[in-house]
Structures are given as C-alpha cells and as structure tokens.
C-alpha cells in the first residue's frame, strides 16, 4: 500500500500546480504584461530612503515603465536560461529615461527579458515600443498635492485615453495604501488582449493615495 501511496501523492502534487508553471523556457509564453508604475508613489514608499536618482527634485518621472513581462494564461516564466548576452551598461543606461534607473532596466532583463527569447537590445526596443503605444492620461501630471481617489478612477482614465483597450485588459494595483501600478495586457504584437485570471486583480480601495510629480 505504501508503494502505491507515494506515486499517488506525487501525482496529486503535480496536478495541483498550474500547468503553465511547468516550464520556464525562453520564448514560450502567451502574452505580455506592460507594467507602469507611478514614480512619485514609489519614491514616497521606497525611493527617497534609497536616495534613488529616479526621485530627485524636478525629475519629471510620472508613469515609468516597470517592465514588459512574458506571461502564461496562468502564471509567468522568470529567470529563464538563455544563451543571449546580457545588456551592456550603456544599454541599461539608455532605458533610464522611461524606466527611472539603469538598475531597474538590468533587473527587468535578468528576471523577465531572458524569458522572451529576444536578445537584450531587441527586448529593450520592444519594451520602448510597448510603452510608447500606451497613452498615459496627462491629468495625473497636473496634480499639485497628494490626493485620495478610488483605484477605479485610474483605470477609467487609462481606458478613456486608450479607446482600443477593454476593462478586462487593464488592472490597477495598490501597495501600502497607494496606487502602485497600471498593468496592461498585450499580445506578442503589442495589441490589447484580455488578462489572465491571475493578473486581473484590481485594487478595490476607494481612498488610495496618489502623490504629485516630484
């Protein structure tokens, strides 16, 4: 009986895992998540304490590109093995204008870019194209003080600014009572698509903090 129980337990354990988590092979994924982070909120939570160059006065950073993430319909690959060369310092520095720092650009390549099947230059170029395709509502850059607002207002603003997007393809996250990110689901050709169930988890806060530009 014990000989039968062990294989059964192993099978049940494997069956409980998301099918999409069985492989982390570069180039094998279903769609992208474009993550846009509101820089002033990150600076309040973390960046100022780190003395990040992203948070210097008059930096002008608003919605920065947190990353372009390969995604399965359920779960996502990360830290895939790749034979592609890592990006040079110059390549990561060139991404700081939309990512805030070269360090973030490097981290995104190391965790997510390696799973796209692209080389570093092409991954950054694709990330920049994806970022440019999204209209970021200018209203948030006009704030002069920290406000409290429903997370749903942020999503509605993005949907209005991007008529081709649908509510099931955009989600807003919160962290430490603040608006954290807007995450937009895109096809491999960077067209709007519905997000997987594990991505569509909208923040329900009605009084999330939103800080003005530095």
């Amino acid at each position: 009986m014990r000989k039968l129980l062990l294989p059964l337990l192993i099978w049940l354990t494997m069956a409980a895992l998301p099918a999409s988590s069985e492989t982390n092979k570069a180039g094998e994924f279903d769609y992208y998540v474009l993550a846009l982070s509101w820089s002033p909120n990150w600076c309040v939570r973390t960046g100022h304490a780190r003395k990040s160059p992203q948070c210097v006065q008059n930096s002008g950073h608003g919605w920065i590109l947190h990353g372009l993430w390969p995604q399965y319909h359920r779960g996502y690959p990360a830290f895939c093995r790749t034979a592609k060369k890592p990006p040079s310092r110059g390549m990561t520095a060139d991404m700081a204008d939309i990512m805030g720092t070269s360090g973030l650009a490097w981290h995104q390549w190391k965790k997510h870019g390696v799973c796209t099947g692209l080389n570093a230059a092409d991954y950054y170029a694709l990330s920049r194209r994806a970022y440019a395709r999204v209209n970021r509502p200018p209203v948030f850059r006009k704030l002069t003080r920290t406000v409290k607002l429903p997370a749903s207002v942020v999503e509605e603003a993005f949907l209005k600014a991007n008529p081709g997007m649908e509510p099931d393809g955009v989600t807003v996250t919160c962290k430490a009572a603040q608006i954290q990110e807007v995450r937009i689901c895109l096809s491999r050709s960077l067209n709007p698509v519905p997000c997987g169930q594990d991505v569509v988890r909208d923040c329900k806060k009605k009084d999330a903090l939103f800080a003005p530009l530095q």
Side-chain angles (χ1 to χ4, degrees):
M1 179 62 72
R2 289 183 179 178
K3 290 182 179 180
L4 292 174
L5 281 176
L6 183 58
L8 178 60
L9 287 171
I10 293 174
W11 182 87
L12 288 172
T13 300
M14 295 301 295
L17 293 173
S20 56
S21 68
E22 293 176 358
T23 176
N24 274 350
K25 294 182 180 179
E28 295 187 6
F29 60 96
D30 298 311
Y31 66 100
Y32 286 111
V33 168
L34 178 73
L36 302 177
S37 173
W38 183 247
S39 180
N41 281 355
W42 179 81
C43 291
V44 170
R45 288 196 312 274
T46 305
H48 287 311
R50 294 182 181 178
K51 297 183 178 180
S52 171
Q54 178 178 323
C55 304
V56 297
Q57 193 68 25
N58 299 320
S59 66
H61 289 304
W63 292 108
I64 65 162
L65 173 64
H66 182 175
L68 183 67
W69 306 335
Q71 195 82 15
Y72 301 129
H73 290 306
R74 185 180 177 190
Y76 63 90
F79 302 106
C80 301
R81 292 183 179 181
T82 180
K84 308 293 185 184
K85 291 182 178 180
S88 66
R89 289 186 178 182
M91 291 168 63
T92 57
D94 285 345
M95 294 298 292
D97 63 322
I98 62 171
M99 298 189 78
T101 65
S102 60
L104 177 58
W106 164 252
H107 175 74
Q108 291 302 304
W109 162 257
K110 184 172 63 172
K111 183 176 181 180
H112 300 287
V114 293
C115 294
T116 63
L118 302 172
N119 62 39
D122 289 343
Y123 172 66
Y124 288 143
L126 185 68
S127 298
R128 191 175 287 277
R129 288 201 299 274
Y131 181 78
R133 282 196 175 200
V134 175
N135 293 320
R136 298 172 296 283
V139 63
F140 299 113
R141 299 185 65 88
K142 298 177 181 178
L143 293 175
T144 58
R145 60 183 178 83
T146 297
V147 298
K148 292 182 179 180
L149 47 72
S152 60
V153 168
V154 179
E155 181 174 328
E156 289 169 7
F158 269 83
L159 291 172
K160 185 176 181 179
N162 297 272
M165 294 181 186
E166 298 291 339
D168 60 0
V170 180
T171 188
V172 177
T173 66
C174 295
K175 188 173 185 178
Q178 296 177 333
I179 297 294
Q180 179 193 25
E181 291 186 341
V182 173
R183 296 177 180 175
I184 299 167
C185 298
L186 302 170
S187 68
R188 284 175 174 255
S189 55
L190 303 184
N191 294 313
V193 296
C195 299
Q197 290 185 354
D198 57 337
V199 175
V200 182
R201 295 177 179 174
D202 284 325
C203 171
K204 301 300 183 183
K205 289 190 67 65
K206 298 185 183 299
D207 58 351
L209 295 172
F210 203 100
L213 296 182
Q214 302 294 314

